[in-house]
Amino acid sequence: MPLDIVIGAQWGDEGKGRVVDLMSENSDIVTRYNGGDNAGHTVTVGEKIYKLHVIPSGIIHPNTIGVLGNGMVLNPQTLVEEMRMLQEVSIFVTPERLWISDAVQLITPAHRLLDGAQESNLGKVKIGTTGRGIGPAYVDKAARRGLRAGEILDPESFSSRVLAHFVEANHLLTDWYHQPGFDVDDKVKEYLDFAKQLRPFIRRIGPLVQTALNEGKTILAEGAQGTLLDLEQGTYPFVTSSCTTSAGVFSGLGLGVQPIRKVVGVTKAFQTRVGTGPFPTELDGEMANFLRGSGNNPWDEYGTTTGRPRRVGWLDLMLLKYAHEVNNFSEVFLTKLDVLSGLANIPVCVAYQRDGKIIHSLDFSGDARLLAQCTPIYETLPGWQENLRGYRNWQDLPEKAKGYVQFIEKQTSLPVQNISVGPERLERITRS
Ligand code: IMP
């Protein structure tokens, strides 16, 4: 019963899409268990670049089944548009290939408007959300008034629930947030049109996935966002609204706790973040531009979902060790090592200084302000000049690039099993 999990070890955007793409070659089912269309997974296959926000990126493989678990929030419009986009490149997402949990919570356009209104209301201390309505949809879930996919199967009751939701959201938007309202009837009609297209895909997911596991099928669970954006273990309140860590897989898919084959922690060779919140190793100026890239390439550090330039900084091993603690990684997949080529020296954060003391571990989940009070202590490693994109074997890698990888292994006590050295599927080194 092999269950594998892929987790972002940082603040999202670690390159999980390509890791999932690679691992799903040998998986029967690829699932998502958290988040919604705030995620943005880019997979490059030859000339083609796929940007997926909802459908698990494993769907690109012809025999893989995609599952959207109950821990997610789902915008029917985004899903329908994504299915159309895939159809244009001859990837047909049929109900046999995509299973949507009947308990998945639905995002509506009203959630998106409320997301924007709440952010404006926060002013300078805004979270910097993706504006996809993720937070408001999870708020409705926790408040036990959310719409669930299974309700779409009872059209009459669903339309009256959707109407009530839009009426209430419109009040909130206009009376509380003093924002322009919307035409409720138009919005309801448009929403129902998208939602009804989901009908053939809706199923009870937990038992289906469990049966597949019992039959010996390989299941891959693809975490969206990253550990440091986890609602409980992340840099609260500058986090997303779901469980992004490995523990969320079971509740987010409706499974009981059971053995896992491996948990792959994906980390870039440096650090990035979108949105507000503490970031001890953050850089600006020329070095930030170097790491971020010009923006001319799809793999440069600009958000897949929002297009915002990402904040960038040196690799923070304090945070990687913390991510290991809360996820229990089996191995690391290191991405974008090629980006560091050309630097004379590469600083890596190995400790923090706080209140005049040097600390080697920090649990900030109770108060992320602690992280904001830390100054990074760096160890400086020698850089390498070679362009790494052509390398495919560990033995051939420049010694200094190997040294960088081995330093991460030593500090985290984790094996770095895979290294990506370019955006394309094959630009990778797998160590035996
Ligand atoms: P939300 O998930 O849209 O509510 O945004 C909450 C925080 O998570 C913001 O800082 C976002 O920038 C960040 N975030 C959400 N999804 C992603 C992602 O897929 N990659 C990186 N950051 C994300």
Side-chain angles (χ1 to χ4, degrees):
M1 321 200 304
L3 173 61
D4 297 329
I5 305 177
V6 173
I7 296 288
Q10 299 172 309
W11 281 291
D13 310 316
E14 298 89 352
K16 296 179 293 294
R18 67 172 308 163
V19 178
V20 171
D21 174 51
L22 173 72
M23 288 177 68
S24 48
E25 249 168 29
N26 299 314
S27 304
D28 300 292
I29 298 180
V30 183
T31 68
R32 274 198 56 190
Y33 63 90
N34 77 300
D37 55 343
N38 48 348
H41 289 174
T42 308
V43 183
T44 311
V45 187
E47 297 286 289
K48 285 188 188 152
I49 293 169
Y50 301 93
K51 288 193 177 200
L52 297 172
H53 299 283
V54 182
I55 301 179
S57 28
I59 206 92
I60 294 167
H61 296 283
N63 299 318
T64 310
I65 293 173
V67 169
L68 305 182
N70 54 274
M72 288 185 70
V73 282
L74 175 65
N75 185 331
Q77 181 171 353
T78 317
L79 178 65
V80 168
E81 287 169 359
E82 212 161 275
M83 289 199 276
R84 279 193 202 133
M85 184 268 287
L86 287 172
Q87 194 166 335
E88 278 166 23
V89 291
S90 300
I91 296 173
F92 298 98
V93 183
T94 59
E96 289 72 42
R97 294 205 59 210
L98 183 71
W99 305 345
I100 301 175
S101 164
D102 55 0
V104 85
Q105 294 281 325
L106 298 176
I107 302 179
T108 70
H111 287 135
R112 281 194 173 201
L113 292 169
L114 285 169
D115 197 352
Q118 284 163 6
E119 282 283 272
S120 324
N121 216 35
L122 286 171
K124 274 195 184 141
V125 286
K126 71 178 180 180
I127 291 159
T129 70
T130 57
R132 298 293 170 116
I134 307 298
Y138 276 116
V139 164
D140 278 355
K141 173 183 183 175
R144 293 155 295 177
R145 57 172 181 241
L147 299 160
R148 309 213 289 177
E151 295 185 62
I152 300 173
L153 303 175
D154 179 349
E156 211 171 304
S157 143
F158 184 61
S159 7
S160 60
R161 289 255 298 132
V162 170
L163 176 64
H165 159 78
F166 276 115
V167 168
E168 192 181 323
N170 207 15
H171 274 308
L172 197 54
L173 209 55
T174 50
D175 301 346
W176 181 258
Y177 290 110
H178 308 295
Q179 298 284 329
F182 52 81
D183 185 308
V184 170
D185 291 334
D186 280 356
K187 279 271 184 279
V188 170
K189 187 177 170 314
E190 191 187 25
Y191 192 69
L192 293 178
D193 279 347
F194 281 113
K196 73 178 180 213
Q197 297 181 56
L198 268 48
R199 265 187 223 144
F201 298 86
I202 298 168
R203 287 149 203 253
R204 184 101 188 86
I205 288 303
L208 278 175
V209 176
Q210 187 62 61
T211 305
L213 277 168
N214 296 346
E215 286 169 353
K217 302 248 165 64
T218 300
I219 313 287
L220 178 61
E222 158 181 347
Q225 291 82 49
T227 303
L228 305 171
L229 289 173
D230 182 81
L231 182 58
E232 300 187 49
Q233 316 299 336
T235 50
Y236 190 89
F238 303 106
V239 291
T240 190
S241 303
S242 69
C243 179
T244 62
T245 57
S246 54
V249 168
F250 297 114
S251 72
L253 291 176
L255 295 174
V257 176
Q258 52 202 290
I260 294 165
R261 184 166 64 179
K262 63 177 169 182
V263 183
V264 179
V266 188
T267 178
K268 279 179 192 164
F270 50 99
Q271 211 78 21
T272 68
R273 173 166 207 167
V274 226
T276 325
F279 185 167
T281 60
E282 183 167 16
L283 293 163
D284 54 20
E286 228 171 275
M287 196 46 80
N289 290 336
F290 175 86
L291 292 178
R292 191 179 290 122
S294 59
N296 293 330
N297 299 311
W299 54 85
D300 287 341
E301 298 297 347
Y302 293 80
T304 315
T305 305
T306 59
R308 290 180 286 184
R310 294 181 186 139
R311 298 161 67 193
V312 293
W314 300 122
L315 183 63
D316 187 334
L317 291 178
M318 290 284 279
L319 294 179
L320 187 55
K321 285 194 279 187
Y322 175 80
H324 178 30
E325 232 171 80
V326 296
N327 286 293
N328 200 12
F329 294 139
S330 330
E331 61 187 68
V332 166
F333 195 125
L334 182 69
T335 59
K336 300 192 90 166
L337 186 64
D338 54 302
V339 172
L340 299 180
S341 290
L343 294 170
N345 294 302
I346 311 173
V348 178
C349 171
V350 292
Y352 293 143
Q353 182 161 20
R354 189 172 162 264
D355 286 342
K357 292 197 195 85
I358 294 189
I359 50 175
H360 290 91
S361 74
L362 177 72
D363 185 346
F364 50 82
S365 57
D367 187 353
R369 285 175 304 181
L370 296 180
L371 200 57
Q373 296 157 5
C374 291
T375 311
I377 309 278
Y378 291 108
E379 190 150 331
T380 301
L381 305 183
W384 57 92
Q385 304 309 308
E386 297 87 336
N387 179 346
L388 300 187
R389 288 192 64 176
Y391 289 86
R392 296 291 173 270
N393 291 312
W394 170 254
Q395 289 80 355
D396 302 337
L397 263 189
E399 283 307 314
K400 286 172 183 161
K402 278 193 205 161
Y404 190 79
V405 175
Q406 283 161 335
F407 186 76
I408 296 171
E409 292 188 309
K410 191 158 170 234
Q411 291 278 321
T412 59
S413 307
L414 278 166
V416 175
Q417 205 56 40
N418 283 277
I419 302 158
S420 82
V421 288
E424 292 203 4
R425 222 182 209 175
L426 299 176
E427 289 181 309
R428 162 189 104 240
I429 292 169
T430 298
R431 292 167 76 191
S432 53

